[in-house]
Amino acid sequence: QEQFRYVRDRVGRMGEAGARIQPLLQDYRELSGTFDKIVSIEMFEAVGLNHYDDFFGAVDRLMAPDGAMLLQTITVNDQYFPQYRATADWIEKYIFPGGYAPALSEVVPEIERAGLYITDIEVLRLHYAHTLRAWRDRFMATRARVAALYDARFCRMWEFYLAFCEAAFRHSGLVVFQIQISKRNDIVPITRDY
């Protein structure tokens, strides 16, 4: 709810530039219509491995014939986290219940099965490690205010989460992928300078 209100308010302040943007807080499976552009950021981890066909089926149904999609998701390399699939880890238990960070090898076949084209993949290797470090620095600078709102236990848990994830993105098998998807391979320009 808070993220939706923030986006809605920000788009409202954009004036004419935001006139064509309509933020929605709605389950993707219940959407109707056709969209020129679809962007999914940090949502795919909540879809669940057993629902990838529903997700990419919805993308195929909702994307205009000459449209494009950007799917941004955190992925796990099984080589570094072989136990990840077997047990619920600390983050899944305390931070993102029900969350699932896929391996890229689990996502690509589902995109292809939906009849969609992967038109580009960008690997953001250390970017999120830097982001997490900045978040942790900002959190630590305001920790006393956060503790007053919540409690010391929450602060310890959040600090651990930010530090753990930074280390995992910096030294292990977590990365962020941005996957560009379309219905045809000639929809988007062939270089990234657009």
Side-chain angles (χ1 to χ4, degrees):
Q1 293 286 342
E2 291 84 4
Q3 290 175 343
F4 173 70
R5 280 194 293 274
Y6 175 82
V7 169
R8 187 190 59 211
D9 294 346
R10 186 164 180 178
V11 167
R13 290 190 307 269
M14 292 172 65
E16 189 177 319
R20 294 186 61 208
I21 300 171
Q22 181 185 5
L24 301 172
L25 180 61
Q26 186 175 358
D27 189 310
Y28 68 90
R29 293 167 291 193
E30 297 170 2
L31 275 173
S32 61
T34 303
F35 298 87
D36 297 327
K37 302 288 188 272
I38 299 173
V39 179
S40 175
I41 299 174
E42 294 296 321
M43 186 282 276
F44 193 67
E45 298 86 345
V47 169
L49 186 61
N50 295 328
H51 299 285
Y52 289 175
D53 58 339
D54 295 333
F55 180 84
F56 291 112
V59 170
D60 183 48
R61 176 176 51 82
L62 295 166
M63 190 181 343
D66 59 348
M69 176 194 191
L70 178 74
L71 172 65
Q72 184 265 344
T73 186
I74 294 171
T75 66
V76 171
N77 185 328
D78 285 334
Q79 172 186 351
Y80 297 102
F81 291 103
Q83 74 282 4
Y84 177 72
R85 308 288 180 237
T87 61
D89 64 2
W90 183 87
I91 292 174
E92 185 179 344
K93 184 174 180 181
Y94 293 104
I95 307 296
F96 297 115
Y100 180 82
L104 184 62
S105 60
E106 293 173 308
V107 179
V108 170
E110 297 291 340
I111 295 169
E112 293 173 345
R113 241 189 306 284
L116 299 167
Y117 285 88
I118 295 174
T119 54
D120 197 359
I121 296 180
E122 184 173 13
V123 183
L124 302 174
R125 296 165 291 111
L126 296 175
H127 297 66
Y128 214 56
H130 297 299
T131 299
L132 286 155
R133 178 56 184 253
W135 286 347
R136 187 161 55 97
D137 289 346
R138 290 179 182 155
F139 172 74
M140 296 306 288
T142 60
R143 184 179 173 132
R145 284 192 318 171
V146 176
L149 290 171
Y150 298 99
D151 58 22
R153 179 179 183 267
F154 173 85
C155 288
R156 286 191 309 273
M157 188 164 42
W158 201 247
E159 181 183 359
F160 177 76
Y161 159 70
L162 294 170
F164 171 82
C165 286
E166 178 191 349
F169 275 94
R170 195 172 298 284
H171 303 291
S172 291
L174 289 181
V175 298
V176 171
F177 280 101
Q178 292 188 152
I179 306 170
Q180 187 176 256
I181 301 167
S182 66
K183 290 188 176 188
R184 297 191 333 248
N185 69 357
D186 61 347
I187 297 298
V188 296
I190 60 173
T191 61
R192 287 185 182 169
D193 64 354
Y194 64 96

